[in-house]
């Protein structure tokens, strides 16, 4: 680890910045700020409007698009400034992450601090970062045409790519922190792999819930509205039936709320299975944290639902998913290499 100390710090700094990016992105979504900037200027867009004229020009540009014309036609310039801030901050952090990844990478490359495998993994990270930026703009574009809201598919792609970039950055760092190979416990590894896949699917459906504002209905637990396990709106909102599960508000919430039980069940199965084997201290720590986080995240999900998604809880629930993914990634790494 000592040999790769600064490379590890670089990768973990990237993880921390992606975490901040996702938190700000969640606030941007929940404050409905994401469509406040309708153009993309890589360099000049780094600075916000600096005087009254520039603010008025930015506001006039915003007025040309559906969100203002159909939803926010009552907005004053001061109202516009409040939503502009979060989208601007989200984009600036994205640019900063790009610099933090690219500049140190080139430095480590020139000074020969990276071995072959780490170079290849770093190139994958750079690709994921660039692709994430593209998906952000691709998402925004979907809300500038007819409907004053972004596509929930594009939102899910944007958010999930951020989560995967974080998880892969952490994985590459862990490869350097724990360079020594050990015997792989395949049955446990495969169970954690399956749990990770289910967790990623749950994160995708969480993004669908956010994109469709599906958290604002059926604000009851453990049953849905009218005391029903499956409310009829789950299967009648869209045709054919299958579309309800990824395009219907009730159907998307139904999948997300009941998939949470599956995630908890997987973590409990992993915890039970690992109790029967001798674990290293990092493996034990990973299991303890994973168990705590999955129940904390489940509780946050319930509270977010029954309180109809207040801003602070919505952001906290997204943060919980982030930490849960980190714990799952760490646990998988410790039972894989």
């Amino acid at each position: 680890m000592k040999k790769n100390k600064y490379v590890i710090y670089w990768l973990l700094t990237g993880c921390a910045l992606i975490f901040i990016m996702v938190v700000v992105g969640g606030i941007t979504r929940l404050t409905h700020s994401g469509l406040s900037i309708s153009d993309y200027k890589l360099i000049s867009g780094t600075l916000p409007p600096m005087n009254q004229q520039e603010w008025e020009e930015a506001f006039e540009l915003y007025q040309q698009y559906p969100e203002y014309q159909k939803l926010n036609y009552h907005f004053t310039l001061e109202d516009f400034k409040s939503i502009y801030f979060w989208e601007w901050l989200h984009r600036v952090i994205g640019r900063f992450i790009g610099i933090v990844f690219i500049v140190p990478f080139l430095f480590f490359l020139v000074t020969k601090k990276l071995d072959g495998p780490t170079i290849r993994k770093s190139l994958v990270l750079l690709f994921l970062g660039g692709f994430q930026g593209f998906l952000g703009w691709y998402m925004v574009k979907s809300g500038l045409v007819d409907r004053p809201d972004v596509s929930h598919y594009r939102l899910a792609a944007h958010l999930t790519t951020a989560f995967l970039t974080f998880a892969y950055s952490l994985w590459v760092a862990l490869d350097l922190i724990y360079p020594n190979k050990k015997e792989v416990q395949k049955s446990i590894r495969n169970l954690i792999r399956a749990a990770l896949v289910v967790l990623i699917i749950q994160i995708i459906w969480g993004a669908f819930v956010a994109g469709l504002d599906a958290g604002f209905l059926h604000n009851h637990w453990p049953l849905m509205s009218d005391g029903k396990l499956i409310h009829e709106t789950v299967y009648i909102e869209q045709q054919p039936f299958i579309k309800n599960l990824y395009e219907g508000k009730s159907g998307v919430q139904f999948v997300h709320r009941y998939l949470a039980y599956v995630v908890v069940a997987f973590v409990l199965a992993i915890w039970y299975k690992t109790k029967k084997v001798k674990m290293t201290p990092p493996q034990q720590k990973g299991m303890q944290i994973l168990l705590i986080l999955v129940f904390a995240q489940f509780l946050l999900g319930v509270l977010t639902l029954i309180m109809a998604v207040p801003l602070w809880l919505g952001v906290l629930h997204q943060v919980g998913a982030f930490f849960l993914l980190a714990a799952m990634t760490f646990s998988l790494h410790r039972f894989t290499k």
Side-chain angles (χ1 to χ4, degrees), residues 8 13 16 62-63 87-88 91 96 99 107 118 130 134 197 199 236 246 253 273 282 292 304:
I8 293 168
T13 299
Y62 176 67
Q63 290 172 324
E87 176 63 10
W88 169 80
R91 294 190 186 195
F96 184 63
I99 293 170
F107 172 78
T118 307
F134 162 76
V197 171
L199 177 59
I236 64 172
Y246 51 85
Q253 192 202 103
K273 196 171 183 66
I292 292 168
T304 303

Side-chain angles (χ1 to χ4, degrees), residues 167-183:
Y168 191 63
S169 300
L170 179 60
W171 188 274
V172 177
L174 290 171
D175 280 346
L176 298 175
I177 294 169
Y178 300 101
N180 299 323
K181 303 289 184 182
K182 64 180 185 305
E183 185 178 347

Side-chain angles (χ1 to χ4, degrees), residues 15-28:
C15 288
L17 287 171
I18 295 170
F19 168 73
I20 293 169
M21 177 83 163
V22 168
V23 171
V24 173
I27 296 172
T28 302

Side-chain angles (χ1 to χ4, degrees), residues 91 128 134 243 266:
R91 294 190 186 195
L128 285 172
F134 162 76
K243 284 184 70 175
F266 261 105

Side-chain angles (χ1 to χ4, degrees), residues 11-61:
L11 291 165
L12 293 179
T13 299
C15 288
L17 287 171
I18 295 170
F19 168 73
I20 293 169
M21 177 83 163
V22 168
V23 171
V24 173
I27 296 172
T28 302
R29 174 66 198 170
L30 290 167
T31 55
H32 302 285
S33 303
L35 297 175
S36 58
I37 305 176
S38 48
D39 58 356
Y40 187 83
K41 297 175 181 176
L42 182 61
I43 306 300
S44 61
T46 305
L47 295 175
M50 303 300 288
N51 53 53
Q52 185 68 16
Q53 181 183 339
E54 290 180 1
W55 273 115
E56 288 176 356
E57 289 172 357
F59 189 33
E60 286 172 9
L61 182 63

